[in-house]
Amino acid sequence: MLREIENQAKIVTEELIKVSRLEKNDIFVVGCSTSEVAGEKIGTYSDLEVAKAIFNGIYPVLEKNGVFLAAQCCEHLNRAIIISKDALKYYNFERVNVMPQKKAGGAFATTCYQNIKDAVAIESVKANCGIDIGGTLIGMHLKSVAVPVRLSINKIGMANIICARTRPKFVGGERAIYNEDLF
């Protein structure tokens, strides 16, 4: 089952990168309930093995594309974000002092903290796109105009996924002309 979860995470990540037209140094947020992936109720069955399988599906794809991973912690850490120190410096984010744990931050954020080179925590981010695995509510970490994205699969393990990309806001009035490449 772990191999299948890893493969599903990889497929979703590859598809979302393509649909979102991500560029180098863009941010890809992931909120993940390993409990839901395992078929349990969110917050009741944190599983580091499931988290590692998801991480192994997502992270190499992002690295290959030069995209930063932003891992959302659970509500016990106010949905703080785990990122690389490179992302922190590139975006000039302010670091906060917390280390996620399996039951305070969640298994996925903990796995990211342990496996992303020079991982740090920040309070929030405005990502270009993201995957919500199991109803973790990533919306607060997306840029202002989020657009739902349907992919070839809609579950990772037993968890429903909801994906979104973002686009620039439309501004102007009835005479405005918009760049359709940004839709």
Side-chain angles (χ1 to χ4, degrees), residues 15-22 26-29 126-132 138-139 141-151 162-170 179-183:
E15 289 181 13
L16 189 54
I17 284 175
K18 186 176 180 181
V19 169
S20 301
R21 296 183 226 139
L22 294 186
D26 281 349
I27 299 174
F28 189 111
V29 67
K126 291 296 179 192
N128 302 83
C129 70
I131 307 171
D132 182 323
I138 64 167
H141 293 301
L142 291 170
K143 290 182 177 179
S144 294
V145 183
V147 179
V149 174
R150 302 278 185 251
L151 302 174
I162 298 176
C163 298
R165 65 175 179 84
T166 61
R167 65 159 176 78
K169 295 177 184 180
F170 294 144
N179 181 344
E180 292 187 19
D181 290 338
L182 298 177
F183 288 8

Side-chain angles (χ1 to χ4, degrees), residues 10-122:
K10 179 182 178 191
I11 290 168
V12 167
T13 303
E14 290 171 340
E15 289 181 13
L16 189 54
I17 284 175
K18 186 176 180 181
V19 169
S20 301
R21 296 183 226 139
L22 294 186
E23 298 176 357
K24 184 176 172 35
N25 297 321
D26 281 349
I27 299 174
F28 189 111
V29 67
V30 177
C32 177
S33 168
T34 58
S35 302
E36 292 280 333
V37 173
E40 303 295 330
K41 182 181 172 193
I42 195 168
T44 63
Y45 188 78
S46 292
D47 188 309
L48 293 170
E49 287 184 18
V50 169
K52 185 70 170 177
I54 295 166
F55 179 84
N56 288 341
I58 293 172
Y59 194 65
V61 175
L62 296 181
E63 278 197 308
K64 181 178 83 175
N65 286 279
V67 174
F68 292 123
L69 172 61
Q72 178 181 273
C73 295
C74 74
E75 66 180 301
H76 297 100
L77 297 185
N78 296 325
R79 304 206 192 289
I81 294 288
I82 304 304
I83 60 168
S84 68
K85 192 178 276 186
D86 288 343
L88 175 97
K89 289 178 180 178
Y90 185 84
Y91 284 98
N92 196 31
F93 290 132
E94 184 176 347
R95 184 176 182 174
V96 296
N97 188 4
V98 70
M99 297 184 335
Q101 304 299 311
K102 186 174 156 182
K103 292 290 188 180
F108 184 72
T110 299
T111 297
C112 291
Y113 191 81
Q114 293 168 348
N115 289 279
I116 294 174
K117 184 179 183 274
D118 296 324
V120 297
I122 61 175

